[in-house]
Structure formats: C-alpha cells, structure tokens
Amino acid sequence: MFSDYTFYSPFSSYNKMKMTNPPRRLQLMATTSTTEPGLSPSDGGKQVRILAWVTAICLLGDSMYYIVLPLYWRQFGLDSLWQVGFLLSINRFVRLPLNPLMGWLYSRISKRAGVMLAVVLACLTTIGYGCLSGFAALLVARALWGAAWSLLRIGGYLTVLETSTGHNRGKLLGSYNGIIAFGSLIGMLAGGLLADAIGARPVALLLGAVSIAGIPYAWKYVPGATGNRDPGASVQGSSAGPGPSGTGGREDQRGAAGAGAPDVPAPNAGSQDAVSAMKADGGSRNAASAAAAPVQYNQGKGSRSRSWTEGLMAMRPSAWLVLASGTGMAIVFYGAYLATLSAVIEAHLPGPNGTITLLGVTLGAASAAGIVQAVRWAWSPYLSPRIGAWSDGPLGRKPLYAASLVVAAAALALLPLKLPFAAWLALLLLAQLANTAIVTLSDALAADEATGPSRVAYMTTYTTVVDVGAAIGPLLGFALLDRIGLVGLYGACAALLLLFAAAWAALFMRVRDRASYRS
C-alpha cells in the first residue's frame, strides 16, 4: 500500500496496517458507494463533463502549436528545426519528475485549486506563444504547459474517482477522454486554418483568451475536497457489483484496501448469504476479511521509515499489470505508432510520391495523417463513453480490454504489408478504433485499482508511467525502424500487445476460477 501523506515517490513509505472485521461494518461496506457525499450520480457526471471541457479548452493552444510551429517556426524566433522538435517534446519530459510533485500537491490542496492553477498556467503559456520569441523563452512556456497538463490530468482522474462508482466509472472516464479529444480536434483544425488567415501569433493570443473561460467553470464545478480524502473510507468502501471482482461484477472494488488489498474476490453487495459463507469457510475467512474490511493506518514516525520495498510487495498483481499495460500502451500508441504513422501512410497512398487526390485536391502523407487523427478525435466523444459503459457491464473490463489488445495487435501486424488500398484503409481505421478503446479501458482499469486512500499516489504513478512510455516510444520506434524496418517495428508492437492481452486473459480466468471454487 502506498503512503497517503508523502508522494515524492509513490512508493516512498509503507504504513503498518491494522485489519478489523466487525460484521456490521462489513454489511455497511457492501451497500454503500464511493460517490462524494452530497452528490447524485448525475451531479458527478456533470462535474466530470465540465472538467473535461475545461481541459479541452486548455488543450486548444497545445494542439494548435503542434500544427503551427513546424510551419511558422521562423516567426517564433527559432533558428533551426531541431529546436522545433525539442520544444514539442520537452513538455512530456518535464512531466516525468513533476507528476509525483503534483500528486503530493493534490494531497495538500483542493482539486479545485489545482485545476484553477492549471487553467491559469495554460492560459499564460498559450498567450506566451503569441508574445514570446526565441528558443529560451518558448522553452520556459512549454515547460510550464507540462506542469499545467500534469495538474489537469491528475485532477481529472481524481474527480472521476470521487464522483463515480463501479457502475459508471468506465462511462465517466470514456466521456472525460472523449471530450478532451474533441478539444484537440478543434485546436488542430482552428489553429491551422486561422494561422493561414491571420497569422500564427494572433491565433495564439486568441486561443489564450478563450482558455480564460475555463476559470469560472473550474471554480463552480470542480470538487473542493483535497485529493487525500477518501470518500466513505471511514465506514464504507466502493460499491460492489452484482458478482465477484473480475468475473460477473464490477472490477476490483476493494473499498479502503485500495491497490494493496489481497487478490481475493469480493462478496456480492448486500448479500447476507455471502457474509454467512465467509463465516462458515474457515480457510478463506481471514482473506475475505482482509479484502473487505477498512484499513486503519498508523501514521506515526516509525511507519514513515519502513522500507519502500514493502509497499511494492503489498500491491495486487492486477495493480502491477495496469502499470505495465499503461506503459506498453503509451510506447506503442503514443510513441512508435504515432511517430511513424506518416511514414506508413506515405508507403500506402495510391498516388505518385505518396500522395492521394480527394475532391480535386492532392494531399501528401502529412495531411493524410492529420485527417486520420482528426477522424479518431471526432469519434472519440461518442465512442469512448459507450466503450466505458460496456466495460461497466456484467463481464467487466478485463475481457473487453484483452479483446481490444488482440484486435489492435492484428491490425498493427498487417498495416505495413502491401494490401489493396481499400483493405489497408479499413485496417488503419480498425487500428484507430482499437486505440480509442485501449486508452479508455486502460484509464478505467487504473481508476479501479486506485480506490482507497492511496488513490492519489497510484494515479500519479499511472500518469507517470504513461508519460514515460510516450517519451521513450518515438525514440525507441525510430531506433528500431533503422534496423528492422516498418514491418519489423509494427510486428514488435503487435507482439507486445499480444503479450499484455494474454496476461489480462490469464488474470481474468484465474480470478473467475477462484470465485467459482469459493462458491
């Protein structure tokens, strides 16, 4: 279990846990939810959607910058193209050390204050793109944007956790990711069109002014509680679904035990028979109690000196697998795939020199890649919530996640091959669809593991490993591209996804078989 009072490293200390199991408390846990007190599910969904729109508004400037800077870099006072690449990537690298710091910050300030700070930073950096000139000044602005995005992303995850239950967490995370993608789409399209019409710097100033609109919405709708408060942790846990974890019910609902709880199926919600069965089964009674009972933390000085390795050992296997899958997903989709998409498209476009003519307009690989990404961002607000809602259903997220990984692996393995253009285009869209599903489900699985008092530390860790994957993905992709080519690179990506699919399928089968044995 992670510490809930220090986050310089998510595993920096391990608190001594004292387990208790009063029957009445167990019954209370089985019938209550993690939704923030005073909020109905509809209110929680409204909070998440508005925060997503605030984040989307803040993303306008960043998305515009990715389109405008490679074309108008001289107008920004840059001397060479390497400076363009450095500026577009530095925000990812600064997030690696900043994510733990932002997690620590959220344990001491309210989410409302953190999100408002992020909006102010996003506004200032976007306006800075229009006012500042030269590599050093723009480097500072991009680094500040990295800090703003860390605050926005971690604050968004925590808001979803505090306003959701196991019955709607996937849907809310899908809505959150989908709305954010829509902001990227608008920023890219509006930035590109307006830059050609009125110039790059006026566009940055305009979008910076628009981002100010996020401040009053953040003040009104973002919860004011600090990130380390566990809603309902005193006497209640997360809402149990209609079946055991990982089989027929909600995924990994453990209450205050969080990511460090034993890997034991939870009882059915409100079932007196389940409680009686626990009492009758002497061999599994203690394990079931550990999975369900709230954890009382000893926060004395002695507990702070405990070895961080004990915190690592206390994590559930599924919590480790979520972190590993998030890293692999980021390496493949945020890194290698995204960085080489233009090259793959150029090799398959039917026109001369890697071009295609649409409605009398000849497009190159870069333009075609932009359109492909725009299509994914356009459907994400509609598909992501539905994918999340499906994962909230009876089978849970694990089977759907494993299936999405298999589909993505098959599409990536075939994409570099010489195929008829229509068939290849269908495969490309299938890969984009699987990408949308995997991103949504990865976030939902991480949120499932983060229930409990360690959720700030766990979501901070998840955000960090995703950023690590996104940072090293392009470097690893281009390094392998020189040695094994597109076919080898995409085959390696497919093999990695299949490995994770097999791991998730094995975990699902193991938990289901264990639940069947206990029943």
Side-chain angles (χ1 to χ4, degrees):
M1 176 67 68
F2 302 129
S3 167
D4 62 338
Y5 53 79
T6 177
F7 298 100
Y8 292 103
S9 168
F11 309 106
S12 57
S13 63
Y14 177 72
N15 290 332
K16 182 178 181 181
M17 296 181 293
K18 178 182 178 182
M19 298 297 195
T20 59
N21 185 31
R24 173 171 172 77
R25 181 170 293 181
L26 180 59
Q27 296 172 25
L28 284 171
M29 290 176 61
T31 57
T32 52
S33 77
T34 56
T35 305
E36 187 173 341
L39 288 177
S40 67
S42 60
D43 291 336
K46 183 178 182 180
Q47 283 188 4
V48 170
R49 287 190 295 271
I50 290 179
L51 178 56
W53 280 114
V54 170
T55 305
I57 291 173
C58 293
L59 271 173
L60 293 176
D62 180 67
S63 301
M64 174 274 301
Y65 212 53
Y66 274 90
I67 298 297
V68 169
L69 189 62
L71 300 176
Y72 299 97
W73 52 277
R74 287 189 177 87
Q75 294 185 19
F76 290 94
L78 302 182
D79 300 323
S80 59
L81 284 174
W82 74 264
Q83 294 176 332
V84 175
F86 196 87
L87 288 174
L88 293 180
S89 62
I90 189 60
N91 58 301
R92 289 189 184 274
F93 285 100
V94 300
R95 291 204 300 266
L96 301 183
L98 282 181
N99 281 336
L101 178 62
M102 297 309 172
W104 170 85
L105 186 64
Y106 269 118
S107 70
R108 282 152 174 79
I109 65 172
S110 68
K111 286 182 292 299
R112 178 184 298 150
V115 172
M116 289 187 64
L117 176 59
V119 175
V120 171
L121 288 176
C123 176
L124 292 177
T125 55
T126 305
I127 292 175
Y129 300 154
C131 299
L132 301 176
S133 182
F135 178 72
L138 292 174
L139 183 65
V140 173
R142 293 296 291 168
L144 287 176
W145 163 246
W149 178 247
S150 290
L151 284 168
L152 285 170
R153 196 63 169 165
I154 296 174
Y157 284 145
L158 294 178
T159 300
V160 171
L161 288 175
E162 292 225 350
T163 58
S164 67
T165 68
H167 297 272
N168 66 353
R169 186 175 297 132
K171 182 178 180 180
L172 288 182
L173 274 168
S175 298
Y176 178 77
N177 286 332
I179 293 172
I180 289 176
F182 190 73
S184 296
L185 172 64
I186 297 300
M188 182 191 71
L189 295 178
L193 294 175
L194 292 177
D196 290 335
I198 63 176
R201 289 185 177 276
V203 170
L205 294 173
L206 176 62
L207 295 181
V210 170
S211 64
I212 298 176
I215 295 177
Y217 286 96
W219 174 260
K220 183 175 181 180
Y221 291 102
V222 176
T226 56
N228 62 354
R229 185 183 66 80
D230 185 20
S234 58
V235 293
Q236 69 246 48
S238 59
S239 61
S245 173
T247 57
R250 312 302 166 195
E251 305 262 347
D252 299 318
Q253 282 141 7
R254 303 175 301 283
D263 196 4
V264 180
N268 291 341
S271 173
Q272 296 294 337
D273 294 337
V275 177
S276 300
M278 285 184 198
K279 294 179 178 179
D281 185 3
S284 62
R285 181 177 60 233
N286 292 336
S289 301
V295 180
Q296 297 178 357
Y297 292 90
N298 177 5
Q299 298 193 13
K301 294 182 179 180
S303 64
R304 302 192 183 196
S305 62
R306 296 294 296 273
S307 171
W308 64 274
T309 56
E310 294 181 357
L312 296 178
M313 296 300 295
M315 285 180 59
R316 294 161 55 95
S318 56
W320 279 110
L321 187 55
V322 167
L323 297 180
S325 300
T327 306
M329 175 269 297
I331 290 174
V332 172
F333 287 111
Y334 294 159
Y337 173 72
L338 189 60
T340 59
L341 182 61
S342 296
V344 174
I345 290 176
E346 184 178 29
H348 289 82
L349 290 181
N353 300 320
T355 60
I356 187 173
T357 301
L358 296 176
L359 302 177
V361 178
T362 300
L363 301 175
S367 299
I371 292 174
V372 169
Q373 286 296 94
V375 169
R376 187 174 78 86
W377 288 333
W379 75 37
S380 188
Y382 304 99
L383 291 182
S384 292
R386 285 162 176 78
I387 293 170
W390 292 337
S391 74
D392 290 329
L395 283 179
R397 310 190 210 288
K398 293 182 179 72
L400 186 58
Y401 188 56
S404 300
L405 290 170
V406 171
V407 171
L412 290 181
L414 295 173
L415 268 182
L417 304 181
K418 292 295 183 181
L419 300 171
F421 182 72
W424 177 83
L425 183 60
L427 276 175
L428 179 61
L429 293 177
L430 182 62
Q432 294 288 81
L433 179 61
N435 185 2
T436 300
I438 289 170
V439 170
T440 298
L441 295 172
S442 293
D443 289 350
L445 286 166
D448 289 337
E449 293 297 333
T451 53
S454 64
R455 66 188 184 280
V456 177
Y458 190 82
M459 293 311 296
T460 299
T461 307
Y462 173 75
T463 304
T464 301
V465 299
V466 169
D467 282 339
V468 169
I472 68 175
L475 302 177
L476 186 61
F478 281 113
L480 292 176
L481 186 62
D482 289 338
R483 291 171 171 79
I484 60 178
L486 281 173
V487 175
L489 173 62
Y490 276 60
C493 291
L496 181 63
L497 295 181
L498 284 176
L499 180 64
F500 284 119
W504 279 106
L507 179 64
F508 173 74
M509 296 296 292
R510 188 189 71 177
V511 176
R512 187 184 66 174
D513 291 345
R514 183 183 300 172
S516 300
Y517 174 77
R518 293 186 184 280
S519 62

